[in-house]
Structure formats: C-alpha cells, structure tokens
Amino acid sequence: MIKIGKRTTMPKSRIAAVGVTSMALALGATIGFAGTASAATPQGVCGSGYTVRGSHTLGSGPNATVYLLRNGTNACVVTLKTGSSIGNTVEIGAWIGAADGYSNADVGKYGTYAGPIKLNSSCVYWGGHYGSSSWYDKTPC
C-alpha cells in the first residue's frame, strides 16, 4: 500500500483482484453454489407454523418425497427432490384437493421442488409425482 497523507490507497492490480473476488462472492450468493438446493425443507417451503403430517417417497432412489404439512386448518403440499435428483430436469409435481371438488397442482421441470400448494380445509386429498412415479392419498380424513 502507498500512503498519501492520512489516506491509504491500493495499487490498481490489488483493486482489480479485490473487485473480481467480491463479484465472484456476490454472484455465488445470488445464484447459489452446488449443493445449496438440498437445504430446502418442507417447513421452509410452506412457511413458519407448518408441521409435517404425512410424507411419501417417490422413485427408486428415492428421487423425491411429497409432504403434507398443516398449520391449523391450512394444508400445504410440497414435493422435494432428494440426493442426486436435485438439479436434474425430471418433471415433478405437487397436488392438493378438497372434498368439495376444488383442486390445485404445481407441475414442472423444477430443479429442487414443486409447490407449495396451499388449501384451507380440514380434509384434503394430496399427492405428488417424480417422473413416472406418482402417489396420492385417497382418504382425506
């Protein structure tokens, strides 16, 4: 470092190195590093106050797990990819329905999870899929 009066300045070569390092760290924080996707949890996806009430594994790995969570009469369904399936392009889905016929789903080629799908009902049908492996609960209450 070169001192000029009470200020200190950094040579341009060090400024460039610091700038590149800072940009790399910021980019990593923005898009995430490999492996951070596995940190997704059912409660993290559905929100605070929800607790897991049921789950079912999907695929041969298993490749994903579909979860039913509750917060009072509010139900939430999410399907999370697991292990080496995280980040792949296999289609996954989450589904929820009520006895009155209302239903909703989230399906896509997501890297980490499908959902959350929420419904305010004390009785729900729910399920999910990973590729051709699917499961749903046929008895809502």
Side-chain angles (χ1 to χ4, degrees), residues 1 9-26:
M1 294 228 219
T9 60
M10 203 179 291
K12 286 185 180 180
S13 60
R14 292 232 20 219
I15 292 172
V18 169
V20 169
T21 303
S22 298
M23 277 189 359
L25 289 172

Side-chain angles (χ1 to χ4, degrees), residues 57-118:
T57 57
L58 303 166
S60 60
N63 305 102
T65 302
V66 58
Y67 295 92
L68 170 67
L69 293 88
R70 287 272 189 195
N71 183 355
T73 59
N74 297 309
C76 177
V77 176
V78 61
T79 301
L80 295 173
K81 287 186 175 180
T82 57
S84 62
S85 299
I86 296 169
N88 70 18
T89 59
V90 174
E91 183 179 272
I92 60 173
W95 178 82
I96 193 168
D100 66 4
Y102 174 85
S103 67
N104 198 1
D106 181 31
V107 177
K109 293 185 177 183
Y110 303 124
T112 308
Y113 61 87
I117 303 296
K118 295 181 179 181

Side-chain angles (χ1 to χ4, degrees), residues 23-36:
M23 277 189 359
L25 289 172
L27 182 60
T30 302
I31 62 173
F33 291 109
T36 58

